[in-house]
């Protein structure tokens, strides 16, 4: 798992740094041993195979490859509707993909298997390397090779200084290097120096950081949760006392929804700021209660904005989006009236053209048959700034300039008693198909407009409220993930930019008052750039300027 | 803060002019590459040096310093008079620098016109990515005698800028609220910087494969490959640039995660852009590892690097334009 393995720890320049040939020869040697030993050999070989660099590489590829479908196919964790649509459009193929987990790639068995194996592989790689590393901490730089001329970097000169002063100069020039000085035959002396040990430190840090990151991330998948909810920005309140208060809820594996960290929010208002028709700021004025405040009943104010979540008592509250909730009033022939303000769903995030269905029941009707003939729904499109394409309403922008609704008024059986769940944004299309829900009017309404139906019922469009969509997120592991990421990043930097390099200096007396000085250098890892440093040092040591 | 239309207009002109000059520079480089003895000479020199050291040391050392050696050979000794082709090459560099200045001016003018970091939509993103690619290449030229290869770097660059300036173009505009964060500056700059630098190892790795193919079957790419530098030089360029860009990319993704935590309610959610960023990261990590694994160096490493760049490009185009995710800020369509 690392660009440099301990196997390269020898004196051969550029020794082969890959240590993954061990598997095959042990396998042949253990053939005629006892079954127990065979089993052990098998385990050991499997382990070696798994922790070899080549396996790690292949696992890395598999991981990249296995992640790909998640970018190409719709995913449940992102959009359940798209998944269902895809499956129904693709028949058996869609169902097969579903059975194989292709719509939940990141929680699928195969994806998990790959990253778990990769983690095992990393651990298998880290254990021996950490051991070698700790040992290497105290190791002395290796002996000076007899023939320095064979090193990739080599220079030599003859000076009038004696051996001792050459050694002294070397020691002071190589401050910061790990040094060993040795006596050699014939009065010669040499210094072996090594530097860049932090590279290996960085490398280990990187891999440990990565490991920790994955573990913390996996831990998060167990204990975190996220819930989304739409709240009208008219002083409405929301408390996450139970998961049913959310419109959608994504629990971690261990979260059953009974012990949510309580948080209450009151959304007072919502502002959107525009410049030349472009939105430049969204902000919701809220009050909230968390922790102690829930007991005291005090509310804290906060301006919730995009990119500026509320962080409180282990929870985060986000402003994810906003939209409009048109208000319709239905006045029945007997003079009774009902007013509903229900959010409509933005179909276009940039223009906030929205669609929805506001549903009504005539009050005072108890007979179930009659009820199922008199239910009403106001459905259609809503545009904050209308733009008509022929007769079709669209929206020119998200600003609330002249709110207009293009509505179909449906009467009959909404199907709310069918037992099937209903979306608040839609009517049940099957009721229309069966002829049990009929369109009785189609109109474009501006605020203040109304339509009167054949039976005298009047539907009026009274105005709009804004709603905000909020998210409550809870993830106690995320700071760990951040910590490990930083560790990983720091390690990465050290392991890529620090060079492990060696330098040797030998001073050999050469007759009267003359000393031959030789300098040799070898970069243990990538050689790039060592040449320049070496040349500089050699120039200093050999007295060339 | 209203948009300054005049400056934004200047920015557009500057951008277009820079593309034209890049194309002109390419012509000059092409002259050098095709008619110059230089390409051949460089290839020759690296080969010689390699033979010499291969005799003395073991395989790796020769390759490791092949490029430094050529540089030495380049500067040492009396220079032969500059050939006409070489002069073309030098003019190519001068033109590239000029185009780069205009390119930079286009960026700065956009920034001033909109009063924000000029990388808030796909057009601007492509603009800064290409800018970084050219800067990185010029930087590399200072140390490596590969000027005659500039065409191969400028070609994808010009294509990207052309696509950026036409299909992806968007008018200077303020940032939408989701992008108003200082993380935009950090995250996108890091992502664009890394992607820009990644273009170079991508190109170098393709050339590497061509050269390697030619070495194993000399009749393949015979005339083209003879003008490429030694495989090892290309490998070295790819490695050095990748090693630089990879941490930057890592940083960009980490910053993206931190931003996502503040903007979208979670630091990681397998949004398409996040997923492909993850994939690209894993591929580049595999590249770094492959260079230290017996049997995976050389051709395989080059292929992995190309895959990494493919993932980066895929992330830019496919994920922005085809899928819908939280990263749909492209400002296109
Ligand atoms: C884990 C979270 C994130 C990851 C992994 C991520 C990754 C990336 C990558 C790899 C790129 C450049 C790739 C390309 O287009 O070629 C990119 C670009 C960009 N990112 Fe992110 N990002 C994250 C979060 C965010 C957030 C939270 C925002 C803003 C709310 C954001 C806004 C942008 C923008 C504006 C660009 C440049 C334009 C574009 O390509 O669409 N990113 N991101």
């Amino acid at each position: 798992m690392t660009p440099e393995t301990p196997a390269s720890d020898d004196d051969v320049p550029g020794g082969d740094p890959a240590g993954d040939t061990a598997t095959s020869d042990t396998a042949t040697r253990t053939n005629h041993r006892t079954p127990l030993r065979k089993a052990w050999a098998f385990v050991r070989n499997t382990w070696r195979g798994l922790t070899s660099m080549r396996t790690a590489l292949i696992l890395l590829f598999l991981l990249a490859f296995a992640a790909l479908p998640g970018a190409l196919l719709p995913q449940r964790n992102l959009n359940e509707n798209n998944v269902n649509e895809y499956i129904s459009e693709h028949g058996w193929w869609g169902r097969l993909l579903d059975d194989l987990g292709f719509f939940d790639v990141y929680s699928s068995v195969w994806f998990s298997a790959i990253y778990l194996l990769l983690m095992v592989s990393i651990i298998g790689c880290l254990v021996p390397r950490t051991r070698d590393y700790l040992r290497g901490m105290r190791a002395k730089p290796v002996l000076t090779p007899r023939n320095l001329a064979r090193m990739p970097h080599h220079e030599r000169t003859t000076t009038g200084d004696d051996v001792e002063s050459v050694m002294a100069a070397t020691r002071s020039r190589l401050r910061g290097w790990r040094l060993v000085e040795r006596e050699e035959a014939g009065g010669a002396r040499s210094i072996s120096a090594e530097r860049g040990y932090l590279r290996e430190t960085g490398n280990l840090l990187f891999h440990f950081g990565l490991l920790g990151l994955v573990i913390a991330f996996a831990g998060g998948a167990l204990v975190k949760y996220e819930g989304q909810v739409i709240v009208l920005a008219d002083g409405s309140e929301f408390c996450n006392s139970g998961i049913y208060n959310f419109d959608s809820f994504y629990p971690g594996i261990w979260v059953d929804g009974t012990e949510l960290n309580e948080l209450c929010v009151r959304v007072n208002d919502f502002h959107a700021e525009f410049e030349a028709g472009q939105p430049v700021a969204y902000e919701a004025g809220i009050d909230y209660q968390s922790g102690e405040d829930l007991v005291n009943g005090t509310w804290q104010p906060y301006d919730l904005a995009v990119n500026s979540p509320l962080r409180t008592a282990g929870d985060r509250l986000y402003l994810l989006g906003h939209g409009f909730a048109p208000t319709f009033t239905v006045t029945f022939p007997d003079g009774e009236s009902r007013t509903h303000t229900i959010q409509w769903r933005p179909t276009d995030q940039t223009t906030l053209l929205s669609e929805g269905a506001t549903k009504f029941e005539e009050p005072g009707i108890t007979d179930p048959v009659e009820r199922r003939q008199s239910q009403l729904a106001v459905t259609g499109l809503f545009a904050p700034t209308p733009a008509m394409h022929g007769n079709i309403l669209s929206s020119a922008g998200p600003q609330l300039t002249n709110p207009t609704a293009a509505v179909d008024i449906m009467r009959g059986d909404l199907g709310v008693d069918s037992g099937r769940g209903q979306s608040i944004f839609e009517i049940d299309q099957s009721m229309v198909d069966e002829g049990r829900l009929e369109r009785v009017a189609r109109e474009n309404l501006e605020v203040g407009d109304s339509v009167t139906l054949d039976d005298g019922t009047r539907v009026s469009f009274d105005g709009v409220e804004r709603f905000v969509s909020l998210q409550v997120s809870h993830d106690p592991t995320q700071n760990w993930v951040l910590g490990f990421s930083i560790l990983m990043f720091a390690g990465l930097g050290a392991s890529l930019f620090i060079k492990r390099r060696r330098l040797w200096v030998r001073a050999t007396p050469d007759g009267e008052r003359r000393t031959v000085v030789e300098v040799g250098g070898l970069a243990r890892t990538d050689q790039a750039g060592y040449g320049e440093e070496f040349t500089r040092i050699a120039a200093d040591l050999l007295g060339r300027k | 803060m209203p948009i300054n239309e005049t400056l934004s207009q200047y920015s557009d002109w500057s951008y277009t002019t820079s593309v034209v000059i890049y194309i002109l520079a390419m012509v000059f480089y092409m002259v050098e590459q095709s008619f110059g003895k230089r390409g051949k000479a460089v290839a020759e020199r690296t080969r010689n040096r390699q033979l010499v050291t291969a005799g003395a040391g073991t395989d790796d050392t020769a390759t490791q310093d092949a490029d430094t050696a050529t540089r030495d050979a380049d500067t040492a000794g009396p220079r032969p008079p500059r050939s006409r082709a070489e002069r073309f090459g030098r003019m190519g560099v001068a033109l590239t620098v000029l185009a780069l200045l205009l390119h930079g001016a286009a960026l700065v003018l956009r920034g001033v016109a909109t009063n924000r970091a000029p990388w808030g939509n796909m057009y601007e993103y492509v603009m800064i990515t290409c800018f970084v690619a050219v800067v990185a290449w010029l930087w590399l030229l200072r140390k490596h005698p590969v000027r005659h290869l500039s065409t191969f770097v400028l070609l994808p660059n010009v294509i990207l800028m052309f696509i950026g300036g036409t299909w992806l173009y968007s008018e200077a505009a303020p940032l939408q609220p989701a992008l108003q964060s200082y993380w935009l500056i950090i995250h996108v700059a890091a992502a664009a910087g890394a992607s820009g630098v990644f273009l170079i190892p991508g190109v170098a790795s393709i050339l590497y494969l061509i050269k390697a193919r030619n070495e194993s079957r000399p009749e393949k790419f015979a005339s083209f490959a003879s003008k490429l530098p030694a495989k090892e030089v290309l490998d070295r360029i790819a490695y050095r640039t990748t090693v630089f860009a990879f941490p930057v990319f890592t940083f960009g993704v980490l910053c993206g995660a931190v931003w996502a935590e503040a903007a979208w309610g979670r630091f990681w959610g397998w949004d398409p852009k996040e997923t492909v960023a993850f994939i690209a990261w894993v591929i580049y990590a595999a590249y770094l590892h492959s260079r230290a694994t017996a049997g995976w160096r050389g051709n395989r490493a080059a292929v992995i690097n190309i895959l990494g760049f493919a993932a980066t490009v895929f992330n830019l185009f496919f994920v922005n334009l085809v899928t819908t995710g939280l990263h749909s800020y492209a400002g296109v369509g």
Side-chain angles (χ1 to χ4, degrees), chain A residues 390-412:
Chain A
N391 245 345
I392 315 281
L393 176 70
S394 72
S395 173
Q399 265 165 301
L400 203 54
T401 43
N402 178 24
T404 302
V407 298
D408 284 343
I409 297 171
M410 313 294 293
R411 186 170 58 202

Side-chain angles (χ1 to χ4, degrees), chain A residues 119-310:
Chain A
M119 288 305 116
V120 173
S121 173
I122 291 185
I123 293 172
C125 208
L126 277 178
V127 170
R129 291 189 56 207
T130 311
R131 211 172 42 216
D132 289 340
Y133 173 75
L134 294 176
R135 231 181 259 146
M137 296 275 284
R138 294 180 303 272
K140 293 197 170 132
V142 295
L143 277 180
T144 310
R146 200 165 312 139
N147 186 356
L148 279 181
R150 291 197 47 168
M151 290 297 121
H153 305 280
H154 173 252
E155 285 186 32
R156 116 187 225 139
T157 191
T158 310
T159 75
D161 298 338
D162 61 0
V163 171
E164 183 44 55
S165 56
V166 170
M167 288 290 109
T170 306
R171 274 192 303 267
S172 78
R173 175 63 180 83
L174 294 182
R175 204 161 287 144
W177 291 63
R178 195 179 288 184
L179 297 180
V180 186
E181 201 172 327
R182 294 186 180 90
E183 299 276 347
E184 295 185 357
R189 289 173 64 178
S190 76
I191 284 182
S192 338
E194 184 154 353
R195 181 164 213 190
Y197 291 87
L198 268 181
R199 180 189 184 97
E200 182 67 0
T201 317
N203 204 309
L204 289 174
L205 263 187
F206 170 76
H207 287 91
F208 275 113
L210 192 67
L211 201 64
L213 192 157
V214 172
I215 292 170
F217 187 76
L222 301 176
V223 297
K224 70 176 178 189
Y225 57 78
E226 273 164 21
Q228 290 88 22
V229 62
I230 282 177
V231 185
L232 289 183
D234 61 353
S236 297
E237 279 178 29
F238 159 80
C239 283
N240 70 340
S241 40
I243 61 171
Y244 293 107
N245 292 1
F246 287 105
D247 297 330
S248 54
F249 189 72
Y250 297 93
I253 295 168
W254 287 352
V255 176
D256 61 6
T258 53
E259 284 174 37
L260 304 188
N261 213 11
E262 208 179 327
L263 172 71
C264 285
V265 185
R266 184 166 63 210
V267 183
N268 301 321
D269 51 37
F270 177 85
H271 291 293
E273 223 177 88
F274 294 89
E275 238 170 55
Q278 294 242 11
V280 291
Y282 295 133
E283 202 175 271
I286 63 163
D287 295 317
Y288 69 97
Q289 294 186 314
S290 65
E292 293 272 284
D293 290 336
L294 287 161
V295 188
N296 312 337
T298 42
W299 291 88
Q300 311 284 348
Y302 190 78
D303 284 334
L304 193 64
V306 177
N307 274 318
S308 162
L310 165 69

Side-chain angles (χ1 to χ4, degrees), chain A residues 307, chain B residues 119-122 125 129 178-179 184 187-188 191-192 195 249 252-264 266-269 273-278 311-317 320 326-330:
Chain A
N307 274 318
Chain B
W119 44 81
N121 54 49
M122 254 182 110
Y125 182 82
T129 302
L179 295 182
L184 175 83
H187 162 66
V188 184
S195 307
F249 184 62
V253 171
L254 292 181
C255 289
V258 172
W259 189 6
E261 195 271 343
W264 301 332
R266 82 289 178 296
F267 64 87
W268 194 270
K273 178 86 71 175
E274 292 168 6
T275 302
V276 179
F278 169 79
T312 309
V313 173
F314 180 81
N315 208 2
L316 178 58
F317 287 101
N320 272 354
L326 293 164
H327 255 96
S328 307
Y329 299 120

Side-chain angles (χ1 to χ4, degrees), chain A residues 484-495:
Chain A
F484 283 120
S485 310
I486 292 172
L487 206 65
M488 177 192 86
F489 183 67
L492 181 68
S495 88

Side-chain angles (χ1 to χ4, degrees), chain A residues 2 18 23 25 56 70 164 211 279 291 381 387 465:
Chain A
T2 75
T23 346
D25 56 61
E164 183 44 55
L211 201 64
L381 294 172
E465 271 303 334

Side-chain angles (χ1 to χ4, degrees), chain A residues 282-524:
Chain A
Y282 295 133
E283 202 175 271
I286 63 163
D287 295 317
Y288 69 97
Q289 294 186 314
S290 65
E292 293 272 284
D293 290 336
L294 287 161
V295 188
N296 312 337
T298 42
W299 291 88
Q300 311 284 348
Y302 190 78
D303 284 334
L304 193 64
V306 177
N307 274 318
S308 162
L310 165 69
R311 298 170 193 275
T312 176
D315 278 332
R316 287 121 52 205
L317 179 77
Y318 295 88
L319 176 63
L320 286 192
H322 68 109
F324 298 100
T327 304
F328 293 101
T329 299
V330 175
T331 313
F332 296 95
D334 59 2
E336 286 261 19
S337 74
R338 285 289 176 271
T339 300
H340 289 326
T341 305
I342 302 289
Q343 65 265 25
W344 284 22
R345 166 173 68 194
T347 55
D348 181 330
Q349 287 300 336
T350 45
T351 65
L352 285 185
L353 182 71
S354 310
E355 63 176 16
T358 308
K359 300 167 189 174
F360 292 89
E361 290 203 38
E362 188 164 350
I365 296 189
T366 43
D367 175 36
V369 179
E370 203 181 324
R371 246 190 92 210
R372 275 193 237 127
Q373 286 164 354
S374 64
Q375 290 169 334
L376 283 179
V378 181
T379 79
L381 294 172
F382 169 85
T385 302
M388 299 304 293
H389 290 287
N391 245 345
I392 315 281
L393 176 70
S394 72
S395 173
Q399 265 165 301
L400 203 54
T401 43
N402 178 24
T404 302
V407 298
D408 284 343
I409 297 171
M410 313 294 293
R411 186 170 58 202
D413 184 358
L414 291 173
V416 284
D417 308 325
S418 67
R420 250 174 308 175
Q422 261 199 21
S423 157
I424 63 163
F425 300 114
E426 289 165 9
I427 50 171
D428 185 343
Q429 189 58 34
S430 66
M431 290 294 154
V432 182
D433 297 342
E434 288 169 29
R436 286 153 68 182
L437 188 60
E438 275 181 277
R439 190 173 84 202
V440 289
R442 165 170 280 187
E443 277 292 333
N444 287 349
L445 305 175
E446 294 183 8
V447 173
D449 290 350
S450 62
V451 239
T452 308
L453 307 181
D454 51 5
D455 64 354
T457 304
R458 206 166 57 105
V459 178
S460 62
F461 177 31
D462 303 338
V464 273
E465 271 303 334
R466 289 182 180 267
F467 73 78
V468 293
S469 80
L470 301 179
Q471 171 168 305
V472 178
S473 303
H474 179 85
D475 181 356
T477 60
Q478 71 171 17
N479 286 340
W480 287 95
V481 173
L482 180 63
F484 283 120
S485 310
I486 292 172
L487 206 65
M488 177 192 86
F489 183 67
L492 181 68
S495 88
L496 289 180
F497 291 122
I498 295 178
K499 287 179 201 79
R500 183 82 175 266
R501 56 233 192 253
R502 288 179 178 164
L503 191 98
W504 296 276
V505 179
R506 171 176 289 129
T508 319
D510 179 27
E512 277 301 296
R513 305 199 134 269
R514 281 162 65 83
T515 307
V516 175
V517 187
E518 266 188 295
V519 189
L522 165 69
R524 296 265 319 279

